[in-house]
Structure formats: C-alpha cells, structure tokens
Amino acid sequence: MCLYEGVATVRFVKISIYIKILTVPLFVFVFMTFSGCTLFTNVYPGGNAGDSVSDDAAEKTPGQAIDEHAPAVEYPAVEDEKSGGDTTGGHEDFEDDVVPGNIMEGETLSERDHYDQGPAYYHYMKFELQKSKGDTDGALNSLHRALALDPDSLFLHQNLIFFYLALKDETKAEEAAEEMVQRHPHDTSALLLLAKIKRQMNLEDEARELYQQIIQKDADNRDIYIVLGNMYIEKGYFDDAFRIFSRMSRVFPDDYVAYFFLGRIHLEKKNYLYAEKAFARCIELNQELVEPRFELISVYKHLDAPGRKKRQSHKKIVSLYQEILDLEPDNIRALVEMPIYLLQNDQRSKASVMFRDLSEKNRKNPAITMALAKEFIGNERYMDAATLFTEMLNSDPDNDSLNYLAGLAFSGIKQSTRAVEHFLKVSQNSEQYKKAVVHAAYLYKKMNEDDKAMEFLEKKHEELPRDIDLMAYLAAIYEEKGMLDDALRLLRRALDYSPEDREILFRSGVVLDKLGDKETCIKTMRRLIAIDAEHAGALNYLGYTYAEMGENLHEAEELIIRALEIKPHDAYITDSLGWVYYKKGMYERAVEILEKAEKLSSGNGDSVIAEHLGDAYKALDMIQDALGAYGRALDAAEDDERRSLLQDKIDELKGNGTEDNQPEENETRDNQP
C-alpha cells in the first residue's frame, strides 16, 4: 500500500487490507455482477496474481464450541509470565480490521451463458431488455413471471436478489434470498449470498448462524475463517476468534494469515510469549511481510517493559527494524521508530545519524513531513513526536514545518513554553505561519498571560492588517477582556474586507448585544440569517434575544425550532425553546423542555440552564425542585455576581415562599452555539 501519496509505495502491508477487500460494498458487488466482471484478483499481501477471494468460514456464536472433538491447538490460551491473560472475550476491538456489514466477494452467475432454453427464457430476456431501458416495474414483473415458470432456478433467484440490491431495497432482497435458501438449502452459494445480505443489514447474529451452516458444508474455504474471525474480533469475542484462527491454522498449516491473527489475539490478551511464536511463524511462512515484524517489535517492547523480568530483547528489536528497512528502505514508520528507540536506549550516535538522514530525505521530499504529522500528531503520539521533530531540527533548524509540528508536539505534552518557542520560529512566508500565530496566542492565554497574548496579536495584526482570522481572534480577546468597543471596531473593519463572513457577523451581533444595542444586534443576526438560513447560532440567538425581551414570542419559537432542526441535541438551543415557553406562560411545557436541556448539558453543568429550570419550577410552585435547580445553578456559577443573584433566589424561596413567580431578567448568555 502507499503509506502516503507522493512519497513511496511500500509493502508496509496491513494484513487487514486483505480483510477490507473481502468486504466490498453491495452496490459495487451488484454492479460488477451485472456487468459480467470477475472480482478480486491479486487482492491480498503476498497473494498471487489471479488469486480470487471467496467468503466461506467456520463460525460459532459466543459460548459454543466450534468442534468439540478437534485436536489441541498449537498455541493454547494460557497465561505467560506476569501477563494474567487468557483468551476469553470482552476486550476492545482491534483497529483496522474487517468492516462490518459489507459484501465480501463476488460470485458469478454461472448459469448466465447457459440459461437459453425452457419456458422461462422469454421472460428472462424481456427482463434484461426492460432493465436496460430503465423500466423497473416491467423488469420486475418479467423476472417474477420467469420464476413462476422456473421456481427452482438458482440463476433467476440470484438475478432477482441482485436487482433488488441495485434498487437499494435490502428488505426485498433479503426476502428473495430467504426464499432461494428454502429452495436450495444445501447450496453454499445461496447461503453465502443470504449471509452477506444479513451483514449488510447489520443482522450479525443471523449472519453468523448462516456462516456456521456454510462451514458445515464446506469446511475448506479459507476466507470464511478470516471474515468470521474478524467478526468476533470486532465484537471483542477474542476466545471465539482464537478458536476460529486456531482451526484455520490446522486446516491451512502453511497460511500466514492465520498465525498473524493468532498473534494479534495473544498480543491483545497480553499472552506475549505465544504472540511471539505466532508472529515468528507468520514471518517464516511469508518473509516479505513487514507488519508481523512491527507486531513482534511491540511484543518485545512489552516483554522488556518496566516491572517485567528483562529478556534483553534489544538486539532482536534493532534487528527487526533493520529487516524492515532492508525490505523497504523508505518505510517511514521504521525510519522514525528505529532512531527514537535507539535514542531511548542510549545509542545517541546511531540515532543522530538516522535522524540526519531522515532530515535530508525530508528536504528532498517535503511530503514526508505530512506523513510524519499524520502518524505522530494525528495519532497523538506527542512524546515521540517531540523527540522526533526536535532531533530533525538539529539538522534543519529553520524548517518551518518541523518547527510548527514541534510546537504541536510540545503543546500536546503540556510544555507550553517550549511549544511557543517553536511556533515563534515559523517564518511569515510559511503556510503554517498564521496557524502558528494563533496557537502561540492561545498558549499565552492558557498560561494566564492575557496581556501578552493581546499584544502579540496586535503586533501580528499590524503585519497582516487584512487577515480576517487574526482580526477575529484578536476581537475575541478584546471581548473576553471587556474591551467591547475595541472588539466591535475590529469586527466592523473585518466586515469591510469580508462583508458576508458568517463568524464575523455572528460575533458582531453578540458584541452589540453586550453593549446594549439590541436593535442593531437584531439587524445583524437577521442579516446573517439572510445570508445563511441554516446558521443555527444566529437563529437561536435571535430567538433567545426576543424571549429575553418578551417580544415576538411566536417568531422566537419558530426561529428556535428551526435551529433545533439543524442541531436537535444542542443543550443551549433546547434551553432557549424552554425559555420561550416560560415567557409565554406555558410553564409545564417549559419544565419538560428545560429538563431535557439540563440532561443534554449534564456533562457541562450549565448555570443558566439550571436557573431557567428553577424559574419554571418556581412558577408551578414546585418549591423543592426549584431549590434543587437553583442549587445546581449556584454550583456551576463562574462569577460572584451570578452567585449572589442565585443565592438571593434560594433565600427568597426558603424565607418568603413564592410571592413573585416572575424572575429577574437573566443575563444574556454568551455561549450560544
């Protein structure tokens, strides 16, 4: 596979690619079947040209034995030293394994060229003609007539199933496949097609039962073992997957795929010694594969981990990395991981040479940087990334991309000062410059250096006076610091350059509202909605503003319902709708909606939502519920002014009952979506 576009095509083959190829989507399968194509040649790592893939295998439901009389497996499920592992299920899925619910291989309609006699032939040919002309109803009618005359034709049943699938009618296809199996209960191709449809419909249990029937009739089809074993892996049923691949290793003792997945299962279960044996056998059977070598490296690193008895695996690990690079000199993963490992094991001189070589490769082909970013930053391997990019910068200190990535890496490991140092080294002519500036400003704020963040962005704004993103971020800092006039001035300047920028318009409306200019705020939000009728934030903000003002409540309800259609599970929009009902005096409806809003915000504990709910409870004389809601609002309050307001409401309820059902105006919420 190509690890990344434009760098190198390598044999860093994930054997799971083979599994993914076994799961071609139904519509591709149907198209290729109808067009007479033969699917899947040379489809898996290590496969031979012309090899085709089918879809038969042993299967069992959790807790049932596949073969109670089968001989003992080669790698039994026992604990190794200090692992405490077994092969029972219940663990998380492996990544990059089989995708559920897709068709895995293409049968051909073998009768097609021979179905040219008999009373049904006329109707079948009419079906083909009508299908080619797009006459769906006529084609179906003709095919059903053909089946009425020849009800036992497997070929006609398959055509009906594939036609329904082409029409994306899975239910009809399933019904047709069920009838086909009833007429041909011993035909494995019929069972297999039904199993595929069941998987496509996510009926996994029924699909497994069908696979079980298939394996009983055809136990020598290797691909079903792989498909079924990975179905169990996806569900975390590792004991079942273990039995599947163990049986596969007995039926196909020279098949490397079985040993690879046995190794993966043992590694997942922390049976490291058995994992080592399985991966070693996989390599023995196919010496050109690199992935089992990476897996073996992982095994040896686990065996030498702190707290375990050392097995002195260092030489084996280095040797495996070297074997990978001998097979694939441009294998990025090995080129990166090997020097990091050497550096971690006090072999700096060798590591430095490899890092210099990698930097030189990167200078000649900058696409390598993107591959490194994807592998290390994308997978949140920040510690390794910090080591990697720092070492590469020793040989190429002015590389903007490496400095930017180093900044991201150090930010990921919470070393903000070092992250800022790298972000500031990114030059102005770099594509990453603006992102580096924003990251640096964000980290200044995170380090509670708000003034420094503001001064920094003001300086950058002078350098790039027309940059909308920088203006928006600087305006946000002004807004947060209460410098609302400065924020509005900057936002209006940004609108001069980009009059229809949705984010700038929205923030302008928010700032105007904070300045007390409701009229202009409303005009701005209406302007934004005219530009983008599905801007949920603007719809909600305008509706909530009307609710707070007690005006245009019917329109406010319509606006917020529109926003909820776009974001149906948004806690703040749901709260806005509840608040509209409260303002309308529909207190029971308000309680219903506001309870839902609080549930949606349960992870955040929003103070305003809880206060609104307390107000609605109070309006219905539900005093204890109101006190509870106000208490939650008080706990979530972030400033003294709100805490004082909420404490007053609590004291009023405790001391004076519900003399006044109408609450004080709530502050405008600033966290509208």
Side-chain angles (χ1 to χ4, degrees):
M1 63 176 283
C2 183
L3 186 59
Y4 51 90
E5 186 174 354
V7 179
T9 301
V10 298
R11 290 194 310 276
F12 172 35
V13 287
K14 291 197 171 182
I15 296 182
S16 52
I17 292 174
Y18 171 48
I19 306 307
K20 292 181 185 296
I21 292 176
L22 289 176
T23 61
V24 175
L26 262 169
F27 73 89
V28 177
F29 174 57
V30 171
F31 170 78
M32 298 189 76
T33 301
F34 271 111
S35 60
C37 296
T38 300
L39 293 182
F40 305 125
T41 58
N42 195 23
V43 294
Y44 60 91
N48 298 317
D51 288 348
S52 62
V53 180
S54 64
D55 176 341
D56 304 300
E59 157 175 22
K60 56 180 287 298
T61 54
Q64 295 176 328
I66 294 177
D67 186 350
E68 295 179 355
H69 306 292
V73 298
E74 182 172 354
Y75 302 124
V78 299
E79 298 181 6
D80 67 25
E81 57 168 334
K82 296 189 180 181
S83 71
D86 58 25
T87 56
T88 57
H91 282 242
E92 297 296 325
D93 299 347
F94 291 131
E95 63 181 37
D96 288 331
D97 284 319
V98 62
V99 179
N102 290 335
I103 288 302
M104 289 154 286
E105 50 99 1
E107 303 95 341
T108 59
L109 298 179
S110 58
E111 298 178 49
R112 187 185 191 99
D113 297 331
H114 308 289
Y115 195 72
D116 56 2
Q117 297 178 3
Y121 179 67
Y122 167 77
H123 294 290
Y124 166 70
M125 291 305 296
K126 191 175 179 181
F127 156 73
E128 289 286 359
L129 180 62
Q130 290 167 320
K131 182 182 68 175
S132 67
K133 292 182 176 181
D135 182 3
T136 300
D137 292 337
L140 278 173
N141 182 58
S142 294
L143 192 52
H144 279 296
R145 286 189 176 206
L147 275 166
L149 293 169
D150 190 359
D152 291 326
S153 170
L154 186 65
F155 171 73
L156 290 178
H157 279 290
Q158 288 176 331
N159 265 280
L160 181 61
I161 293 164
F162 295 147
F163 194 52
Y164 278 132
L165 292 174
L167 297 174
K168 299 183 179 179
D169 191 338
E170 290 181 341
T171 301
K172 290 287 188 182
E174 181 192 19
E175 292 173 358
E178 294 276 12
E179 182 180 349
M180 178 178 65
V181 168
Q182 287 177 8
R183 290 184 176 274
H184 302 275
H186 303 297
D187 189 289
T188 56
S189 67
L191 291 167
L192 183 57
L193 181 54
L194 179 57
K196 292 172 179 179
I197 293 171
K198 297 287 189 183
R199 291 201 70 199
Q200 188 76 8
M201 299 175 71
N202 293 322
L203 301 173
E204 297 286 314
D205 291 341
E206 295 180 35
R208 283 196 293 266
E209 183 178 345
L210 288 164
Y211 286 132
Q212 178 66 38
Q213 295 178 39
I214 294 168
I215 197 62
Q216 290 172 358
K217 302 175 188 301
D218 181 12
D220 294 328
N221 191 312
R222 68 187 291 273
D223 297 322
I224 286 291
Y225 291 98
I226 300 169
V227 172
L228 187 57
N230 277 276
M231 287 177 70
Y232 284 126
I233 286 173
E234 285 181 337
K235 294 294 185 181
Y237 300 148
F238 295 115
D239 188 45
D240 301 312
F242 178 82
R243 291 193 183 99
I244 291 289
F245 288 115
S246 293
R247 183 172 179 179
M248 181 181 174
S249 71
R250 295 193 297 272
V251 177
F252 303 99
D254 296 328
D255 195 315
Y256 68 91
V257 175
Y259 295 98
F260 176 81
F261 283 110
L262 282 171
R264 288 283 297 271
I265 293 166
H266 281 308
L267 184 57
E268 177 69 21
K269 302 301 295 179
K270 301 182 181 180
N271 295 330
Y272 299 125
L273 298 180
Y274 293 113
E276 177 186 14
K277 292 180 182 179
F279 288 129
R281 177 62 174 157
C282 179
I283 294 169
E284 180 183 347
L285 291 170
N286 190 330
Q287 297 187 12
E288 293 188 354
L289 293 174
V290 300
E291 184 162 83
R293 288 178 166 86
F294 280 118
E295 298 287 357
L296 256 184
I297 289 169
S298 179
V299 168
Y300 291 138
K301 287 181 178 179
H302 281 295
L303 287 171
D304 278 355
R308 296 182 63 90
K309 181 180 178 181
K310 292 291 183 181
R311 291 184 5 129
Q312 303 299 320
S313 302
H314 174 75
K315 291 183 179 180
K316 293 181 180 179
I317 292 172
V318 173
S319 177
L320 284 165
Y321 276 129
Q322 191 58 57
E323 287 177 20
I324 294 169
L325 290 173
D326 289 341
L327 289 167
E328 300 177 2
D330 292 325
N331 187 294
I332 291 298
R333 182 178 174 186
L335 285 170
V336 170
E337 288 187 2
M338 184 174 179
I340 290 177
Y341 176 77
L342 291 172
L343 193 64
Q344 292 170 343
N345 285 270
D346 301 321
Q347 292 186 268
R348 171 167 285 279
S349 59
K350 291 182 180 179
S352 297
V353 171
M354 294 193 70
F355 281 126
R356 281 198 300 272
D357 291 343
L358 187 58
S359 294
E360 185 61 29
K361 287 177 181 287
N362 186 58
R363 272 194 290 266
K364 293 178 179 178
N365 189 352
I368 289 177
T369 302
M370 299 309 299
L372 297 176
K374 182 178 179 180
E375 174 66 25
F376 290 91
I377 303 298
N379 292 322
E380 299 184 0
R381 296 175 58 184
Y382 296 123
M383 187 64 72
D384 285 343
T387 300
L388 167 64
F389 296 125
T390 300
E391 291 295 328
M392 290 180 69
L393 282 165
N394 288 335
S395 301
D396 193 5
D398 298 323
N399 188 300
D400 290 324
S401 295
L402 292 178
N403 272 305
Y404 177 69
L405 292 172
L408 292 178
F410 281 110
S411 177
I413 58 176
K414 314 299 183 186
Q415 294 189 25
S416 299
T417 301
R418 291 200 65 181
V420 169
E421 289 175 0
H422 284 287
F423 286 135
L424 295 182
K425 290 179 181 179
V426 178
S427 63
Q428 188 172 340
N429 60 356
S430 168
E431 293 181 0
Q432 288 85 26
Y433 177 69
K434 189 166 65 177
K435 291 183 287 186
V437 168
V438 172
H439 275 293
Y442 167 77
L443 290 174
Y444 281 136
K445 282 180 57 60
K446 195 173 180 181
M447 292 187 288
N448 296 318
E449 298 183 41
D450 290 7
D451 291 338
K452 194 168 186 177
M454 184 174 67
E455 293 170 5
F456 173 71
L457 281 177
E458 287 173 338
K459 182 178 178 181
K460 298 303 176 183
H461 173 52
E462 292 175 3
E463 294 176 3
L464 300 170
R466 291 176 175 266
D467 190 284
I468 302 300
D469 293 329
L470 290 181
M471 294 167 80
Y473 201 80
L474 179 56
I477 291 180
Y478 285 151
E479 182 184 342
E480 187 174 321
K481 291 178 69 66
M483 301 167 61
L484 299 178
D485 290 326
D486 292 312
L488 185 60
R489 170 184 51 78
L490 196 57
L491 290 168
R492 283 177 169 166
R493 188 184 305 163
L495 287 173
D496 289 339
Y497 300 133
S498 183
E500 296 189 354
D501 187 288
R502 291 156 176 76
E503 179 60 25
I504 299 296
L505 280 168
F506 183 78
R507 294 316 307 173
S508 297
V510 172
V511 172
L512 285 163
D513 191 15
K514 289 183 176 182
L515 285 167
D517 190 349
K518 295 281 187 185
E519 182 179 352
T520 312
C521 165
I522 290 170
K523 288 180 180 178
T524 302
M525 291 299 175
R526 286 195 178 279
R527 176 182 167 189
L528 174 52
I529 293 169
I531 294 169
D532 182 0
E534 295 190 355
H535 195 292
L539 291 166
N540 178 57
Y541 203 97
L542 182 56
Y544 184 78
T545 299
Y546 280 142
E548 284 286 85
M549 296 169 66
E551 300 177 2
N552 301 331
L553 294 180
H554 180 70
E555 182 183 2
E557 181 181 357
E558 291 180 342
L559 288 165
I560 294 167
I561 288 174
R562 283 171 60 189
L564 272 176
E565 289 173 351
I566 300 165
K567 293 186 175 182
H569 304 296
D570 188 286
Y572 299 120
I573 300 176
T574 305
D575 168 72
S576 296
L577 183 61
W579 194 235
V580 167
Y581 290 134
Y582 176 86
K583 288 289 189 172
K584 283 185 166 186
M586 301 167 62
Y587 300 127
E588 291 182 356
R589 180 66 171 148
V591 164
E592 177 187 347
I593 299 299
L594 290 168
E595 285 179 340
K596 180 180 178 182
E598 187 176 45
K599 193 172 296 184
L600 287 170
S601 71
S602 59
N604 299 323
D606 186 85
S607 178
V608 174
I609 293 176
E611 181 190 6
H612 284 172
L613 181 57
D615 292 342
Y617 283 141
K618 178 183 174 185
L620 293 172
D621 291 329
M622 299 170 65
I623 305 303
Q624 293 305 314
D625 292 306
L627 285 171
Y630 286 145
R632 294 191 296 276
L634 181 62
D635 291 340
E638 296 181 353
D639 59 72
D640 292 338
E641 184 178 352
R642 275 199 59 72
R643 281 189 283 270
S644 176
L645 180 149
L646 291 164
Q647 188 61 57
D648 288 345
K649 289 191 174 188
I650 292 171
D651 293 342
E652 177 189 349
L653 275 185
K654 287 182 175 179
N656 301 321
T658 57
E659 295 177 1
D660 183 5
N661 283 346
Q662 298 300 321
E664 298 180 24
E665 286 295 315
N666 290 278
E667 64 181 27
T668 299
R669 191 168 11 165
D670 184 26
N671 52 0
Q672 301 290 331

